[in-house]
Amino acid sequence: MVSLKQLKYFDAVARSRHFGKAAEHCAVTQPALSMQIQELEKSLGVQLLERGRSGVMLTESGKEIAQRAARVLADVRDIVDVARQQDKILAGPLGLGVIPSVAPYILPQLLPMVRDAFPDLDLHIRESQTQSLVGELLDGQLDVLLLALPVEHPDIETVRLFDDRFLLAMAASHRMSNRVKATPDLLETEKLLLLEEGHCMREQALAFCSLRRIENINTFGASSLSTLVQMVANGLGMTLLPELAVPLESRRGDIRLMRFADPEPQRVIGLAWRRSSPRKRHFEELGQMIAATTAPRPL
């Protein structure tokens, strides 16, 4: 008979690829953890792991069962949440995933408000790219995500919070014609600086500018918006800067910002959670608080 303890231990090994780290995570001895996984393999009648000098690898059966085990454990956590959250809004542990192009511009204002409004909430923050966050949400490692929409997955529900317009950022010393507003064709002859592969903002910018010519795109060292702004300020090119980031990234006054002509490029910021989660009402409450911290500011 398969037990939740066995699935929990196997899940820990599958994630860490290391028996020692998995045992530490589960707060058990390594022999005890190994014994439970051996019992799991015996009950299922298949080998789940390959143990070698280079570490631990999942067999083909192990990969499939690891995915299913993660979903089972996530469902169990949702059951616990149902019981725990009957009377309280936003209480107990909550894993919040945030993309890097949002986290520095919302969390400093949001976290003190959350702490004051929900003192019983044990909030854990995870900052990463969209693909990683979605995987961790589906596996039950995270409860809710703050990111750019859409997120298209049948097991995920989302809510739109606000629109975040893009502006054109250039060096303050950059000489421009008498344009009142920027247009996509302006970037055809300029070096466009973008975040590296994997960031959703990169694809949004490329889609708006209709640029696919790699020679016109520079992503060297562009792992964050702050890096992009420093590159822009030093005359290395232009970039699209989300309005959400403007108050923080334009404080030094070494960049110049232009609005785009209509239709202005923008992204939609929202929350995403598992459809099976019983905490939808709580996430919507959190979403209202986030939206309240992001009222548009004049440039």
Side-chain angles (χ1 to χ4, degrees):
M1 186 72 175
V2 174
S3 70
L4 287 176
K5 179 188 292 187
Q6 291 170 344
L7 293 181
K8 177 183 176 182
Y9 290 178
F10 173 58
D11 179 69
V13 175
R15 294 183 191 282
S16 66
R17 298 294 201 274
H18 193 279
F19 276 89
K21 292 179 180 178
E24 182 178 353
H25 175 76
C26 296
V28 296
T29 65
Q30 187 170 329
L33 181 137
S34 297
M35 183 178 298
Q36 288 294 325
I37 291 180
Q38 290 173 8
E39 287 296 322
L40 177 61
E41 290 179 318
K42 183 178 179 180
S43 296
L44 295 175
V46 294
Q47 181 180 350
L48 302 174
L49 302 170
E50 294 181 23
R51 304 159 179 84
R53 292 182 179 179
S54 59
V56 179
M57 295 183 296
L58 293 171
T59 64
E60 286 303 313
S61 295
K63 292 177 183 177
E64 172 68 20
I65 292 172
Q67 293 176 355
R68 294 179 180 273
R71 290 197 291 268
V72 168
L73 293 171
D75 287 341
V76 170
R77 283 188 286 270
D78 287 343
I79 291 172
V80 174
D81 283 341
V82 169
R84 180 185 291 141
Q85 308 298 331
Q86 287 298 315
D87 301 320
K88 290 186 177 181
I89 292 289
L90 290 175
L94 179 73
L96 171 64
V98 192
I99 57 175
S101 61
V102 167
Y105 315 111
I106 285 185
L107 294 185
Q109 295 81 26
L110 176 67
L111 294 183
M113 294 176 61
V114 170
R115 181 190 60 217
D116 293 341
F118 307 106
D120 295 328
L121 181 66
D122 180 18
L123 186 62
H124 301 270
I125 304 293
R126 167 91 162 105
E127 181 181 327
S128 189
Q129 295 180 10
T130 298
Q131 185 174 1
S132 295
L133 293 180
V134 169
E136 292 177 30
L137 176 69
L138 292 171
D139 286 349
Q141 299 178 71
L142 294 171
D143 300 298
V144 61
L145 309 180
L146 175 59
L147 73 180
L149 301 180
V151 177
E152 297 178 350
H153 193 284
D155 296 331
I156 292 179
E157 187 172 355
T158 63
V159 64
R160 179 189 191 125
L161 298 181
F162 61 91
D163 295 334
D164 188 21
R165 295 177 292 182
F166 290 119
L167 294 91
L168 181 63
M170 66 195 77
S173 59
H174 196 290
R175 293 185 177 275
M176 290 288 296
S177 63
N178 294 325
R179 288 175 180 258
V180 176
K181 291 188 177 182
T183 54
D185 66 281
L186 178 62
L187 297 170
E188 290 289 344
T189 57
E190 298 285 346
K191 180 68 74 175
L192 180 62
L193 307 178
L194 297 176
L195 293 174
E196 61 191 359
E197 294 280 355
H199 288 272
C200 57
M201 241 194 71
R202 171 189 173 89
E203 296 305 317
Q204 292 161 348
L206 287 173
F208 169 71
C209 300
S210 299
L211 288 175
R212 297 292 173 183
R213 292 181 297 131
I214 194 66
E215 66 269 15
N216 204 50
I217 301 169
N218 188 338
T219 58
F220 178 76
S223 59
S224 70
L225 287 179
S226 294
T227 301
L228 282 182
V229 169
Q230 291 302 313
M231 295 168 70
V232 167
N234 284 280
L236 299 181
M238 297 181 175
T239 195
L240 271 67
L241 188 66
E243 191 171 18
L244 184 66
V246 167
L248 180 62
E249 300 296 353
S250 64
R251 286 184 303 183
R252 298 197 322 172
D254 49 7
I255 62 171
R256 176 183 175 187
L257 298 170
M258 289 182 66
R259 288 215 176 272
F260 281 93
D262 291 333
E264 290 183 274
Q266 65 181 28
R267 60 179 179 171
V268 177
I269 302 299
L271 290 179
W273 59 86
R274 294 185 304 278
R275 288 190 184 276
S276 61
S277 174
R279 306 175 76 177
K280 176 178 179 177
R281 180 167 57 103
H282 305 181
F283 301 147
E284 291 174 337
E285 183 81 14
L286 178 63
Q288 292 176 13
M289 183 171 288
I290 293 171
T293 69
T294 56
R297 305 172 179 88
L299 293 179

